[in-house]
Amino acid sequence: MFNECPIHIKTTHFDTELQNRLEWFLQQPGCSWILDRSGGGDQPELTITRRGVFLSIGKEQLTFHPSMALIRLINLLRGETDRYLEATQLKPGGTLIDATLGLGTDALIGAWAVGDRGRVLALEKSPIVAAIVQDGLKHLQEMVPNSKSIDKRDAWITLVRVSKQIKVIWADNRNYFSNIPDRSVDVVYFDPMFRQTYEHSHAIQPLHRWSDHSPLDQEAVLEACRIARHRVVLKERKNSPEFQRLGFNILLGGQYSPIDYGVILV
Ligand SMILES: C[S@@+](CC[C@H](N)C(=O)[O-])C[C@H]1O[C@@H](n2cnc3c(N)ncnc32)[C@H](O)[C@@H]1O
């Protein structure tokens, strides 16, 4: 499903900054590249521009942008609640493993919740998704728009700050967990792709082609319960049989939402 063929890679300009960024991509583990300017069409192509990095096949395009995290953070800074934070119960100074990074929205909100003294380790099985999100987080400051809205400005500044707390690793979560000691992280969070065929979420749709769609592995959940100190959380489609199959208790709330959160207290 993802990264089955090498990806053409190019920059739009020859300045040092874009060339350095290209060099960085070339060094990322798990990705294979064709360094040329002729990709496009049916060939996957990563274009590094002064406005960001775009992975395209034909008209389909994947890029990193923290838009959903921004909306959620604006609401949080206004004092509203967030179901993910209610489910994870992350505290300042806490530690989180986001075992399914995707486009990093939940990891950013988690990083905000654990604050400057906390840590977020984010695992992603697709090497190209891991690379694009890691690059995006590193260059978040350059994406900050000139906004007149104080709420938006505050949220952007906060996102840039908390993005530094997220460490991205290209890994299969279950394999990675086996190197982590018992009870060494507060919360482990799973948000697998499995349900996306039903959900048709626009925010996550471009991720489809490049991500791993396997259902969550029971062994990964058992390992998560071993390494977590407080809880393991699963986000899934409403009424998904996955909660029962994997032993999660569904949390009440989100009556009109298409998703639910399940928790295992450890
Ligand atoms: C629904 S997305 C996560 C979205 C994310 N919570 C966000 O806020 O952007 C699921 C991601 O998990 C990744 N994934 C699936 N199985 C995985 C595994 N075993 N280990 C690590 N990542 C995995 C997929 O490649 C995909 O990018």
Side-chain angles (χ1 to χ4, degrees), residues 179-221:
N179 302 317
I180 300 183
D182 295 1
R183 310 272 166 263
S184 54
V185 55
D186 293 329
V187 179
V188 179
Y189 173 67
F190 294 102
D191 175 14
M193 283 305 279
F194 193 41
R195 71 175 183 284
Q196 295 301 330
T197 22
Y198 308 90
E199 200 182 272
H200 299 302
S201 153
H202 288 299
I204 215 124
Q205 206 62 30
L207 188 63
H208 243 249
R209 180 188 290 273
W210 303 101
S211 54
D212 188 291
H213 293 218
S214 326
L216 181 54
D217 185 38
Q218 194 134 36
E219 275 294 318
V221 176

Side-chain angles (χ1 to χ4, degrees), residues 3-265:
N3 257 39
E4 281 153 359
C5 57
I7 298 168
H8 292 254
I9 184 168
K10 68 178 188 190
T11 60
T12 48
H13 297 81
F14 280 100
D15 52 66
T16 319
E17 200 171 311
L18 293 194
Q19 295 311 310
N20 287 343
R21 215 158 158 178
L22 181 137
E23 281 302 322
W24 182 87
F25 271 99
L26 294 180
Q27 286 162 21
Q28 293 318 293
C31 302
S32 71
W33 305 105
I34 299 174
L35 187 57
D36 77 351
R37 304 181 56 77
S38 63
D42 286 346
Q43 302 294 310
E45 184 180 41
L46 189 90
T47 310
I48 302 169
T49 78
R50 289 172 180 162
R51 290 177 303 109
V53 168
F54 301 88
L55 176 61
S56 45
I57 293 192
K59 288 196 177 120
E60 217 183 276
Q61 199 168 61
L62 175 70
T63 189
F64 171 79
H65 195 281
S67 46
M68 287 308 294
L70 204 71
I71 294 169
R72 281 168 65 183
L73 192 56
I74 289 171
N75 290 336
L76 281 164
L77 293 173
R78 282 180 187 150
E80 290 178 25
T81 54
D82 183 288
R83 285 185 72 210
Y84 157 79
L85 290 185
E86 284 172 356
T88 52
Q89 292 286 309
L90 289 164
K91 302 275 182 294
T95 48
L96 164 70
I97 292 186
D98 181 334
T100 48
L101 170 69
L103 294 178
T105 302
D106 291 323
L108 279 164
I109 299 300
W112 175 76
V114 297
D116 298 338
R117 289 178 298 110
R119 277 182 303 119
V120 176
L121 178 65
L123 307 176
E124 172 55 55
K125 190 166 172 181
S126 161
I128 185 64
V129 172
I132 287 178
V133 175
Q134 195 178 352
D135 169 85
L137 291 171
K138 247 189 347 188
H139 291 89
L140 206 53
Q141 175 74 56
E142 296 153 36
M143 297 171 82
V144 180
N146 245 339
S147 174
K148 286 196 182 124
S149 149
I150 295 174
D151 282 1
K152 258 194 187 162
R153 263 205 325 259
D154 285 353
W156 267 107
I157 292 167
T158 308
L159 274 189
V160 171
R161 198 185 69 234
V162 304
S163 65
K164 315 260 184 278
Q165 285 151 239
I166 304 174
K167 181 173 178 187
V168 175
I169 295 181
W170 165 52
D172 174 87
N173 47 39
R174 181 192 167 196
N175 292 344
Y176 195 86
F177 290 163
S178 56
N179 302 317
I180 300 183
D182 295 1
R183 310 272 166 263
S184 54
V185 55
D186 293 329
V187 179
V188 179
Y189 173 67
F190 294 102
D191 175 14
M193 283 305 279
F194 193 41
R195 71 175 183 284
Q196 295 301 330
T197 22
Y198 308 90
E199 200 182 272
H200 299 302
S201 153
H202 288 299
I204 215 124
Q205 206 62 30
L207 188 63
H208 243 249
R209 180 188 290 273
W210 303 101
S211 54
D212 188 291
H213 293 218
S214 326
L216 181 54
D217 185 38
Q218 194 134 36
E219 275 294 318
V221 176
L222 287 176
E223 277 292 88
C225 292
R226 177 184 64 76
I227 65 177
R229 265 192 295 267
H230 299 317
R231 54 178 64 202
V232 178
V233 176
L234 171 64
K235 178 182 172 186
E236 256 297 344
R237 178 171 53 95
K238 208 168 206 53
N239 300 321
S240 168
E242 287 296 272
F243 290 116
Q244 198 183 2
R245 177 179 74 87
L246 297 162
F248 285 84
N249 296 311
I250 300 176
L251 289 179
L252 294 177
Q255 205 183 342
Y256 303 108
S257 165
I259 57 140
D260 265 332
Y261 290 87
V263 172
I264 299 176
L265 298 176

